[in-house]
Structures are given as C-alpha cells and as structure tokens.
Amino acid sequence: FNSFYQAYQHKLKLALIGQSIFGQEVYNKLRKEGHKVVGVFTVPDKNGQADPLAVAAEKDGTPVFKFPRWRAKGKPIQEVVAAYKSVGAELNVLPFCTQFIPMDVIDCPKHGSIIYHPSILPRHRGASAINWTLIQGDKKAGFTIFWADDGLDTGPILLQRECDVGQNDTVDDLYNRFLFPEGIKAMVEAVHLIADGKAPRIPQPKEGATYEGIQKKENAEISWDQPAAALHNWIRGHDKVPGAWATIDDQVVTFYGSSLFDASVPAGQELAIKGASRPGLVTKNGLVIFGNDGKMVLVRNLQFEDGKMIPASKYFSVDETTAMELTEEEKKMAEDIRAIWKGILSHVAVIEDSTDFFKAGASSMHVVRMLEEIKQKYSGIQLQSEDVYMATKFTDFIQMAVRKLRGEDKEEELVIDYVSKNVNNMTVNMPYQCFINGQFINADDGKTYDTINPADGSIIASVSSASLADVDKAVAAAKEAFENGEWGRMNARERGRLMYRLADLMEEHQEELATIESIDSGAVYTLALKTHVGMSVQTFRYFAGWCDKIQASEYGVTIPINQARPNHNLTFTKKEPIGVCAIVIPWNYPLMMLAWKSAACLAAGNTLVLKPAQVTPLTSLKFAELSAKAGFPKGVINILPGSGGLVGQHLSEHPDVRKVGFTGSTPTGKQIMKRYSQQNAATNLKKVSLELGGKSPLIIFSDCELDRAVKMGMGAVYFNKGENCIAAGRLFVEESIHDEFVRKVVEEIKKMKIGDPLDRSTDHGPQNHKAHLEKLLQYCETGVKEGATLVYGGRQVRRPGFFMEPTVFTDVEDHMYIAQEESFGPVMVISKFKNGDVDGVLRRANTTEYGLASGVFTKDISKALYISEKLEAGTVFINTYNKTDVAAPFGGFKQSGFGKDLGEEALHEYLRTKAITVEY
C-alpha cells in the first residue's frame, strides 16, 4: 500500500476534452484518484439531451463548456480559447474527442495533451481505427495513449495495450471486452505517470504506419471477388456502423452479424445478390454467402433501406408487419411503452407510430434504460438489445413486444410424444424417442426396444433404439452447435445462467423424475428423490457456479520464462473447451451419473452426445426435455438410447468426438482403451476418462464404535440394492468382534422391508434387470461351491419382479472368486483378520486389481490416517461410508479407471490447455 501511495502521490489539475460514456468513466476515475478536473469541454446538447460526460460533470459542479467548434475558417476562435485558458489546466486529457482542437489549446498546459486512440499506433491512424483492425484481418487489436502534436495521430507514444482478435469478433466485441474497460484504466495510469514525472515519450516508428479514412455508407459496399475470410472481415468491420451492404432485389440491404461457416453446404433457398458470382442461401440459421475460394460466411441479420431489420433466415417469410388487433391489456402496455419512449426522447413533442427510436436521437445507452423500464412494468416480456435494433420504429417495436408477450415469436415449439402413466399418485410424462439437435425423433431405421419395470417385469415403454445414422446426426449437431452455434459464442456467465435454470427445472420436476427413476431402475423412491435426483440438482448448481471462473486462479496462469535478450516475452496459458464429448453412463444411478459428467462438460463450454444405459433410458430423455425448456440451444445436448455395442462403440470411434467419458464395467473400459492402442490410434486419438468397477475394502477394527460400524457397513453394501460402484465389496473384520458384528448385521437385515420401491416404507427394492439378478444368484452359488459360509440370503425373493434377499457370506478366503470379483449387488463378503494385524490386513485389502474406494472404522485416528495413506484407492472413508459431495473429486486407481468426476478436478477432464507466448 505504501509503495502504491508513494508512486501516485502527485495530483494534477486537468481539463477533459471530449464526450461519450468513455469520457464520463475516465472523468469519474480521475476524480476518484484525487486529481482535480478544472474544466470539461464537450459537445453541445443534442435534441435537448446533454452528453454523458457533461451530465456527470454538471452533477459534480465541475465547470462545463459546450462549444460547437473550436475553429472557424481554419483559425482558432479566440473567445473559445480564452474560455479554455481561464480554467488553468496543467494537462489536457482527450479520452474520446470528435472535434478539431487548435494547437494553441493542445500546447497550452504545462504537461501538454494526451489522447486515447483505439489502435496499436502507428497502424490504423484515423477515425475508423477499430473498423480497419477487423477489415484488414489483424490478429491483434489494442489502443495507444499518445502525446498530441500537430499531426494526425502521430505524436510520441506514452503507453500501449493489446489483445487478441477472435475469429468472429465485431467492433462491439472488441470495444466492450477490452478497448473500453482497459482503456479507462490506462488513461488513469497515464495521468498518474505524468503526475509523477515517469511518463515516456516514445517516437512512433515510420515502419508499419498506415492511415485509413472514415468509413462511410457509400464506400461500405461489399466487393464479392474475395475469399470468405475477407468478406467476413469486411462485414464485421462495418458492424454496426456504417454497415456493409449489397444490392438485393433492387434495394440496398445491409449485412450484420457475420461468422465464418466451416461445415458442409446447408439446405436453403437461393437468393440472388448483385455482383456475387454465386447466389446466397437463406437457411434456418441465416444467410450463407460464398467467397471466391468456395468457403462460406453466415450472416444473421439483414436491414432494409427503410431501417427495418430482420433475421436473415426470415428473408422469404411472409411480411410480419401487418397491423395486429390488440387486446385492451395490450393497448395499455403499448401506451406505457410510449410513455417510456417519451421519457427518453423528451425533446420529441409526440411519440408517433412512425417515430424511429434512433433517428429521434436515442443511443445504445438509452436501449438499456428502455429495456429495464419495460422489464419493471412487464416482467413477462423477455426483451434483448437486439430486439430494439430489429424494430426501431415505435409501431414495429410494439408489434414485436406483443408477439413476445403472446409467445408467438418463440422458436418452433418442442414437439414431444409422451408415454404417460398414472403412478405414485401422479401422472408422469416420459419422452421415449432419440433427442437430436433439439428435437425428439424416431430412430433412423425405426427400431425400438422395451424398457422394463424391475418391480413387476411389466413394459413401461417402447423406446427408440438409435442407429449408426443417428449417432452421425447427433455428433454433427453437437459439432455445429460448438463451432458455429449460439453456444460457442455465448459468454461463460450466460452459460452458467442456463445451467442454473436447468437445475431449477429439475428441482421443480423432482417428484416426477424420482418416480421415473424408481420405475425404470428399481431405486427406492425416497432414495431416488434424495440422492438420484437431489444430488443431480446440486451437481448442476455447483458446476454452474464454475462457468465464469474457469480462466481464474490456476486455470489460466502467467509463466516466467527465459528471455531472449534484448527482447521481452510474456507466456501465459488459457483453458479452452475440447469440443464434442461422448458420454456413456451406467444403469445404477441413471440421472445422477448423467449429471456428474454432463454438468462439468457443459460448464467447460463443450457440447455432448450422451448414451444412457440401454435398460434405463427414461430419466435421461426427461432431462433432455427439461434442457430444451431451460433454453439450451439446439445441438448442445443430444441423447441416444440404444445398444452399447452399437451406439457406444460408434461414439467412441467417431472422428468428430474429441473426448469420451465412460462410467461402467472394467471389461468395457478396457475395450474402449484397446481401440485407441491399436490401428485406430493413428487417426482416432481422443481424450478419455474412465470410472470403472470396484472391489472396495472396508476394514473394521475392534476399537470401533460397533453399532455405528454395523449401520455404516450395511449401508456400504446394501445402499441402492448394492448397485453402487463404491459399494464395500469386501469387509475385513477384526477377529475379536467378528462374530458379534455378523450377528448384529443379520439381526438388522431381518428388519429390512423388501418390496415396492414406490412404498415410502420400503428399504430394499428390486435389482435393476433380470439378467443382473441371474448373475447375482450365480455369484452366490459360486461362493457356496468354493467353501464360503452363506449366513443369510443368497436367493431370489418369491414375488413378481427382480428382487433378491440381502446376502451375507463369512469365512471368505483371499483366493475365492467372491473375494476378488465385484458382485454389484446386495452381497456382504466378510473375512476376519487377526487381532492387531494392521499391516497384514492392509496387504490383503490392497491385493485387488481395483482401487475405487475404501474405508476404515476405528477410534484411533492415528491408525486411521496411517491406513488411509496405505490404501490404494481414490477415496478413503474414515468412520463413515458413501459420503460423496459435489465439491469432492471422485475417481479410482488401478483397474478402476482414471480421471475424476465432481469437484474442481472434473473440469480438467473437459478442458484443454493452450500456451501463448508474446514477444514485445
């Protein structure tokens, strides 16, 4: 603090010469830093409204002078110069000035004058510097603060800053992201440097100097004999002023909102454009135009000579300007909006239907004010700034607002063909088709399969079975959404807002989701509500909060490197989304496993194609419906029910999939990795994370709190019917408490209620599907044959459905099958160990190819921590079990896979790191 105070202890008397919100912000910051603004020199009021700089200064009591000009017939106006000199400024600050200031004024103060210019001088001198930065395709933009001289932007440089230019950046993007906020800071820094006598004067080099004139409408016509990149640069360089244009149907049409379009030629209606060698295509996404290199540019909006702007995709649509009949309520709204316009355009006598908001004198800052005032009165109308530019006349604006109020302007309504069932005292509506590019559609080949209710073996629904063609469609939709869609352009905070909205919708539908989860997977309803659905909601909220923080802290770092003298280098990293991600999830927690992977994937900015387990597709498809209702753009989320061997394999091999996230069995995970280690590796490398099987050891010492160990040990095995990847696959119980532990477990099992998962008093529901139940029964038969003691259970419950008794084995020796292999069911496998043999039991616990989770029960915290260090597992529970949290990383070691779900670490799985080195 002291060094900062000493560095900037000198204050100056300043004259601010200029205008605009930029000038206003510089003025406010300089005063806040303690400099005295002795005079503000700005432009006269326009249409009765003062410039923002004048408004701020007048509010503070700072002297304000509003001169229409400083010179007449090339000579300074003496009265104006005298008025300026009367304030006694020590430095002139020109943050943004459109007037010619005489050298008598420029050179008058003790320290002269400094000017802000929005380019990296000496490149792009002149008033249209930002435009030309884009028109000429510069990879870097920036600004210069220089000492004014008698040339045009030729004075010595005081300081410069630069930034990268994105492929689809517009003038507004550069200004809002960098030139405006960083420019304000730099102007204040420049004044501080001058005040302390530390400001440099670096002569501008002659090499690289350019000057471009002001871009006006008449010279902004598009020249078509250019590559697509040049067309795009020309259009975005003129967006929004003065606007690049072409002649279509004998009238001037201005193009706005361009982006490079790297995809196959889309379907659309041809549109002849004067001078273009190839017609444009009006598509559902906008107007596609072609460069002389055959590549494409997508244009989103078009404006006609009368000022009306339309989405380019609507060019051939029926004219929507026909007057509509308004209800009494809508008429009142129209008059309220007319009053809001009048409050902003106070100099206009009457707001007529034909009044144009901008031609009447409004600016971009008035757009924000108008929308906020409307929002206060009519919160049901969702208006964006773009809507105002699309309907600038009052009557057009009212019709647009009414259409939004009525819901007529919404995108094509999502059409869903439900299977509906009255169950659990409610009606549940379940989509059953593939969800691709924002639509529910049948599988390409029309195939379906039945999904079964494990509680009674009945058919819930016939679900679309995705084909290879459907995989290709879904991946193409995800790729388009990532590379060219709204999602790829969306800022991180807006992405987080969508995820929060989706979490809210999941919470609103939690009873319906839990009911679907219960009848489709067999989960006990109360557990489905709390864990399957509850943790899914928490997961989306957790990762929604990460969206705008990914470039912070260690996610983007500056790295000191060796300098190649005399040059200086800056190296930094940034995190970027990977692209299209394929996510394959299991059947034990259908919705929660979706959330664990999808939330991190989406927070990072990727798009996804998700394949739910074939036997439990219904909550994933309901999730797809809610994602569309939350406003996720088409193509961002795609859900493909069907065969793992067909859909899952094709996804994992697809060349446009950049990342595979898989949760499932170890054998399947090995097959996925095998594909990348053989012939496909040469052409099909991609990032992979695997959460696979487990045989998690739980060690129970005699010094534990026994009743708690019994309760937690049972939860470790029987939670979610044992269909739990971190279930305690083997319990090691110290010899002195072994028999009592087993007795207490059997007593508690006998109290468990097995039955209908929708019954709120049920403790234990059916296994997920018939084949799994049969596999569990075989597992128990193997245990008996190998000599383990079946203490309890091991049989199917005699009732409809796929129910199995909770089972307990003792006398399990290390070589036995049930000691080594996962059951993934309600089977407790108990082995005893000698009293006090800590290292011996550790060796036995680690003698497994798996390493997902583990646990220990003991009152000796030193022993617990020692064991936690030695256990070879991704998670260790001490005196608890199954305690997972959205903020804690989850994943295994050894044959249990690699990569993490949940927590900050999960984001790394869906991001790539780019290193950037700058020489200066």
Side-chain angles (χ1 to χ4, degrees), residues 283-298:
T283 73
K284 64 181 181 180
N285 294 319
L287 173 63
V288 173
I289 57 177
F290 297 87
N292 61 11
D293 55 357
K295 295 182 179 180
M296 294 173 285
V297 175
L298 180 67

Side-chain angles (χ1 to χ4, degrees), residues 490-720:
M490 189 179 292
N491 68 57
R493 195 158 295 168
E494 175 66 13
R495 193 162 67 238
R497 189 177 66 84
L498 281 179
M499 292 183 65
Y500 277 122
R501 188 185 301 166
L502 176 55
D504 291 344
L505 282 172
M506 292 168 69
E507 190 169 56
E508 287 174 26
H509 290 261
Q510 61 183 334
E511 289 87 0
E512 185 179 19
L513 285 166
T515 301
I516 297 171
E517 190 94 336
S518 184
I519 64 174
D520 202 26
S521 76
V524 172
Y525 175 76
T526 51
L527 177 66
L529 189 64
K530 179 180 183 295
T531 302
H532 291 230
V533 178
M535 194 172 188
S536 300
V537 173
Q538 292 173 25
T539 302
F540 268 91
R541 286 189 174 140
Y542 173 81
F543 283 108
W546 266 109
C547 287
D548 61 354
K549 302 170 185 69
I550 287 174
Q551 293 298 349
S553 69
E554 72 271 22
Y555 283 90
V557 297
T558 302
I559 302 169
I561 64 171
N562 289 332
Q563 307 289 350
R565 297 180 179 178
N567 299 319
H568 296 277
N569 297 99
L570 170 67
T571 295
F572 61 94
T573 63
K574 60 180 294 191
K575 293 288 185 178
E576 297 179 339
I578 297 170
V580 179
C581 298
I583 294 175
V584 182
I585 58 173
W587 42 258
N588 57 328
Y589 295 103
L591 186 64
M592 195 170 78
M593 292 297 98
L594 175 153
W596 280 23
K597 281 183 160 50
S598 297
C601 173
L602 294 169
N606 301 287
T607 57
L608 65 88
V609 181
L610 181 139
K611 195 205 85 65
Q614 186 169 4
V615 292
T616 53
L618 296 179
T619 41
S620 293
L621 293 170
K622 190 67 181 180
F623 167 84
E625 175 193 342
L626 298 180
S627 73
K629 290 180 176 178
F632 276 78
K634 292 179 179 180
V636 174
I637 294 170
N638 304 272
I639 309 290
L640 298 178
S643 162
L646 182 74
V647 177
Q649 180 171 338
H650 192 44
L651 275 173
S652 68
E653 295 175 348
H654 201 291
D656 288 333
V657 169
R658 301 301 179 200
K659 151 81 192 211
V660 174
F662 173 81
T663 296
S665 71
T666 295
T668 304
K670 288 180 177 179
Q671 285 298 317
I672 291 173
M673 289 307 299
K674 190 175 180 180
R675 293 183 197 125
Y676 303 133
S677 63
Q678 296 179 335
Q679 68 272 18
N680 288 341
T683 57
N684 197 24
L685 285 175
K686 59 190 74 205
K687 193 171 185 178
V688 179
S689 57
L690 303 173
E691 195 258 280
L692 306 176
K695 187 69 175 172
S696 302
L698 174 58
I699 305 172
I700 300 174
F701 286 94
S702 59
D703 63 351
C704 71
E705 187 179 324
L706 185 58
D707 288 342
R708 178 177 177 82
V710 169
K711 179 183 176 182
M712 288 289 178
M714 291 182 66
V717 176
Y718 302 128
F719 187 81
N720 199 46

Side-chain angles (χ1 to χ4, degrees), residues 253-273:
V253 178
T254 307
F255 292 29
Y256 295 108
S258 73
S259 58
L260 291 174
F261 188 66
D262 183 17
S264 56
V265 178
Q269 188 171 349
E270 289 191 351
L271 177 64
I273 304 172

Side-chain angles (χ1 to χ4, degrees), residues 89-251:
E90 296 174 314
L91 173 69
N92 291 332
V93 178
L94 285 72
F96 175 72
C97 182
T98 59
Q99 297 175 312
F100 286 101
I101 310 301
M103 291 306 297
D104 306 52
V105 172
I106 292 294
D107 294 336
C108 180
K110 171 184 176 182
H111 297 291
S113 303
I114 58 170
I115 302 177
Y116 171 91
H117 183 79
S119 79
I120 306 171
L121 292 174
R123 186 163 173 79
H124 302 312
R125 293 169 177 160
S128 295
I130 313 178
N131 304 76
W132 284 102
T133 297
L134 294 175
I135 291 169
Q136 296 195 355
D138 292 1
K139 300 301 182 185
K140 297 286 184 182
F143 59 80
T144 303
I145 297 173
F146 68 97
W147 299 93
D149 64 5
D150 58 358
L152 184 60
D153 303 332
T154 57
I157 295 169
L158 195 159
L159 62 80
Q160 289 182 320
R161 300 283 186 270
E162 64 178 36
C163 67
D164 292 331
V165 178
Q167 178 176 276
N168 294 316
D169 277 346
T170 64
V171 171
D172 283 352
D173 292 332
L174 290 176
Y175 187 71
N176 294 329
R177 184 178 76 238
F178 184 80
L179 299 177
F180 181 87
E182 297 303 319
I184 293 165
K185 295 176 189 174
M187 286 297 285
V188 175
E189 180 184 349
V191 172
H192 284 322
L193 291 171
I194 294 169
D196 289 346
K198 299 177 180 178
R201 292 176 179 262
I202 304 169
Q204 291 191 32
K206 294 181 180 179
E207 183 180 354
T210 64
Y211 171 80
E212 296 91 11
I214 297 174
Q215 281 304 97
K216 297 181 179 179
K217 193 72 176 182
E218 54 266 28
N219 55 20
E221 182 177 7
I222 299 169
S223 174
W224 290 99
D225 189 19
Q226 302 182 81
L231 293 177
H232 168 55
N233 289 336
W234 185 262
I235 295 168
R236 66 173 176 152
H238 291 84
D239 189 341
K240 298 219 173 6
V241 178
W245 59 273
T247 302
I248 303 175
D249 292 333
D250 297 324
Q251 67 169 318

